Amino acid sequence: MNKLMKSVSGIRGVFGESITPENITKFAAQFAYFQKNRHTEKNQKIIVGRDSRTTGDALAHAVMAGILSVGLDVIYLGIVSTPTVLLTVKELEAIGGIVITASHNPAEWNAMKFVDQNGMFLFPEIMNNFLCECEKNNYSYANWDAIGSRYDYFDATWMHIQKILSIPYLNLEDIRNKNYKVVIDSVNGAGGVISPTLLRELGCDVIEINSEPTGYFAHPPEPLAKNLEQICLEVKKNKADIGFATDPDVDRLVIVDESGCCIGEEYSLLLAEKFVLKHKKGDIVTNLSSSIASDDIASEYGVKVVRTAIGEIHVGKMMLEIDSPIGGEGNGGIICPEVNYTRDAVTGMALILGYITERGLKISELVNEIPKYFIAKDKIDADIENIFEKVVDYFKEEKIDCTDGVKISFKKAWVHIRKSGTEPIIRIYAEAETQTEAYNLIDKVKDAIKI
Ligand code: MG
């Protein structure tokens, strides 16, 4: 039996086993009550949106029941991308939001993610406070005459598209004149409701695959090369300029080049960095496990890379603090503050099209300009004693960062070992100029902990 998982990134489980209408109503009521006490000055409304999962409608009703019952209004967006919900919280000046999505997890999963009044996910310390309140069941229902009202708002997607089109350094006319042929794979997630419209607004000839937001995912929903054969074939067959694949809640973007080759999720952020930094100077923010190629790009533009713990909220929070123009994560998560401080694959598409237009080159040629590194990944059981201490001791002469697990950096390489947030394992990632060197670094870590 699957167990409900509660963490700083939200609450998730398998529908009917661990996540149910009963328990989700309580979390929603608790969240509404929590936000109401934190933001007394603002409009007492909460935004709710969901991805396309088959369980989304049932859970959305349960979520809305919880919020209305503690006396707050609900603005319901229906099926939308996750970044659309976050943007709408800010634009409509709500006191919070709930996104019902299990991101790239399989179809039987669902989850709640909690948004603060600033249009960002709850910061980790606030999320921990909220989880403590949940343990205490610390909320009360409103009187019958103070129950909230529900409003439907179906303009959120269009508002999101308009926000993207108003990015000041995006030359819409030039992009539109190119009339790019683009294949898009939304994996029957929420992408189908936004990505094709945005691309048509950018003058593209759009070929849609898996655009119906049914929640019956056409392939495993994580946008990794091994799951994206269909879009690669379609790009080739249609002689398209580029292909874009997204995960079900549209916060991760993966690019397929004009030859039908999936270029790998790391490149989405790297290409966006190259475009944005040309127009807006400022330090890049990314996480400890994202590619070292960001450092090369930063030095090209005379800026720095600030690295945070893993998890988009850490990246977004740091971007806000240092007023960074571009950041994100190597898993295809691009954060562009001109639109919002969250990973946004649709904004990512506009940035990438802006970049190929400005440079007048093919996407594969732009990828070839970025220095090549190789990332190796491995995992080990989490029940070995003193793993981190052993690794620190083994590499004590090197540059060590203990922000999130242990990361050891070398001149053009690094190895990072950390506890997984979702499974009882330790992940080991390494990056170097050659594949052999990257795997050697993983072997060294294993040597250090003697396995
Ligand atoms: Mg996602």
Side-chain angles (χ1 to χ4, degrees):
M1 184 91 161
N2 178 270
K3 209 165 158 259
L4 191 67
M5 296 172 77
K6 299 173 219 166
S7 74
V8 287
S9 56
I11 287 160
R12 63 200 178 99
V14 170
F15 182 80
E17 284 186 24
S18 50
I19 197 161
T20 63
E22 292 92 325
N23 60 22
I24 212 169
T25 303
K26 284 189 175 185
F27 284 112
Q30 183 70 71
F31 175 69
Y33 195 77
F34 183 72
Q35 291 300 89
K36 191 174 160 178
N37 289 325
R38 293 178 60 230
H39 302 294
T40 48
E41 76 291 356
K42 282 212 169 184
N43 292 325
Q44 299 285 292
K45 61 192 176 200
I46 302 270
I47 310 292
V48 176
R50 68 174 185 96
D51 72 13
S52 65
R53 283 162 202 273
T54 58
T55 56
D57 198 28
L59 292 182
H61 282 85
V63 162
M64 290 192 277
I67 298 168
L68 297 170
S69 301
V70 298
L72 266 69
D73 292 343
V74 169
I75 310 283
Y76 183 54
L77 311 183
I79 297 177
V80 289
S81 77
T82 290
T84 305
V85 179
L86 281 89
L87 179 67
T88 309
V89 169
K90 200 168 173 206
E91 298 284 314
L92 298 190
E93 298 184 337
I95 59 168
I98 295 179
V99 196
I100 303 159
T101 174
S103 188
H104 57 274
N105 281 29
E108 64 273 24
W109 286 76
N110 217 328
M112 301 169 90
K113 290 175 132 193
F114 302 94
V115 185
D116 214 342
Q117 102 295 349
N118 58 0
M120 297 174 73
F121 290 115
L122 291 188
F123 288 168
E125 59 278 15
I126 300 171
M127 186 64 196
N128 281 329
N129 291 344
F130 167 60
L131 290 173
C132 286
E133 292 300 300
C134 292
E135 293 296 317
K136 297 184 223 155
N137 273 332
N138 188 15
Y139 63 91
S140 57
Y141 291 128
N143 283 333
W144 69 271
D145 57 353
I147 292 291
S149 300
R150 171 208 165 149
Y151 304 91
D152 288 335
Y153 182 71
F154 296 129
D155 292 334
T157 293
W158 185 241
M159 182 175 73
H160 187 179
I161 289 171
Q162 290 303 315
K163 187 89 180 173
I164 296 170
L165 296 176
S166 63
I167 295 174
Y169 45 78
L170 212 53
N171 189 328
L172 299 182
E173 203 188 330
D174 284 359
I175 298 173
R176 284 169 177 151
N177 284 340
K178 292 282 185 180
N179 190 226
Y180 291 115
K181 190 185 266 193
V182 181
V183 182
I184 177 142
D185 180 358
S186 304
V187 68
N188 307 105
V193 307
I194 183 165
S195 311
T197 313
L198 183 269
L199 291 170
R200 290 194 177 103
E201 284 293 315
L202 290 171
C204 300
D205 174 5
V206 186
I207 297 154
E208 299 178 46
I209 55 173
N210 309 318
S211 258
E212 308 77 19
T214 59
Y216 291 95
F217 302 139
H219 52 76
E222 186 161 20
L224 302 174
K226 62 179 184 186
N227 299 330
L228 299 175
E229 278 175 25
Q230 191 188 358
I231 183 173
C232 292
L233 287 172
E234 289 296 323
V235 167
K236 217 170 165 177
K237 193 176 93 190
N238 290 286
K239 297 191 170 49
D241 297 294
I242 195 166
F244 291 125
T246 52
D247 71 335
D249 70 325
V250 213
D251 55 6
R252 286 172 62 179
L253 175 69
V254 173
I255 299 166
V256 175
D257 75 14
E258 74 286 348
S259 70
C261 171
C262 180
I263 65 171
E265 67 263 36
E266 286 284 342
Y267 283 97
S268 305
L269 176 59
L270 299 173
L271 291 162
E273 287 169 355
K274 290 202 75 153
F275 177 55
V276 174
L277 287 178
K278 180 145 185 287
H279 297 275
K280 219 173 161 191
K281 279 268 150 45
D283 294 339
I284 297 169
V285 182
T286 187
N287 71 36
L288 289 163
S289 277
S290 294
S291 176
I292 207 169
S294 280
D295 296 272
D296 296 319
I297 292 169
S299 63
E300 200 182 309
Y301 288 92
V303 299
K304 292 201 305 284
V305 177
V306 178
R307 293 191 182 265
T308 70
I310 310 296
E312 75 156 287
I313 189 59
H314 299 289
V315 177
K317 193 170 173 232
M318 180 60 77
M319 288 179 71
L320 186 65
E321 274 168 38
I322 67 166
D323 192 22
S324 161
I326 185 73
E329 298 191 298
N331 58 9
I334 296 169
I335 303 178
C336 173
E338 299 289 347
V339 177
N340 49 12
Y341 280 95
T342 190
R343 296 179 306 172
D344 184 340
V346 204
T347 298
M349 291 176 200
L351 298 179
I352 301 300
L353 291 179
Y355 188 45
I356 57 174
T357 304
E358 194 171 87
R359 296 292 311 280
L361 294 172
K362 291 178 179 158
I363 188 74
S364 63
E365 293 169 327
L366 294 171
V367 169
N368 282 337
E369 290 181 351
I370 295 174
K372 288 275 167 301
Y373 294 95
F374 295 85
I375 290 192
K377 298 181 180 182
D378 205 342
K379 55 189 175 186
I380 53 173
D381 280 343
D383 54 5
I384 304 163
E385 272 180 40
N386 304 325
I387 290 182
F388 296 120
E389 290 81 348
K390 286 174 183 165
V391 174
V392 168
D393 188 54
Y394 187 93
F395 289 101
K396 60 180 177 287
E397 305 299 322
E398 311 294 344
K399 190 177 162 203
I400 294 175
D401 184 327
C402 295
T403 309
D404 184 2
V406 180
K407 181 180 178 183
I408 303 103
S409 298
F410 310 89
K411 191 151 184 273
K412 288 274 179 190
W414 52 265
V415 60
H416 185 198
I417 168 167
R418 66 182 286 270
K419 274 196 177 115
S420 161
T422 52
E423 294 171 74
I425 53 165
I426 300 274
R427 294 190 191 282
I428 314 174
Y429 290 177
E431 185 178 34
E433 287 177 297
T434 66
Q435 207 160 7
T436 316
E437 202 191 331
Y439 279 106
N440 282 345
L441 284 171
I442 288 187
D443 287 342
K444 277 190 183 171
V445 166
K446 288 181 166 175
D447 261 2
I449 51 187
K450 310 264 185 297
I451 55 167

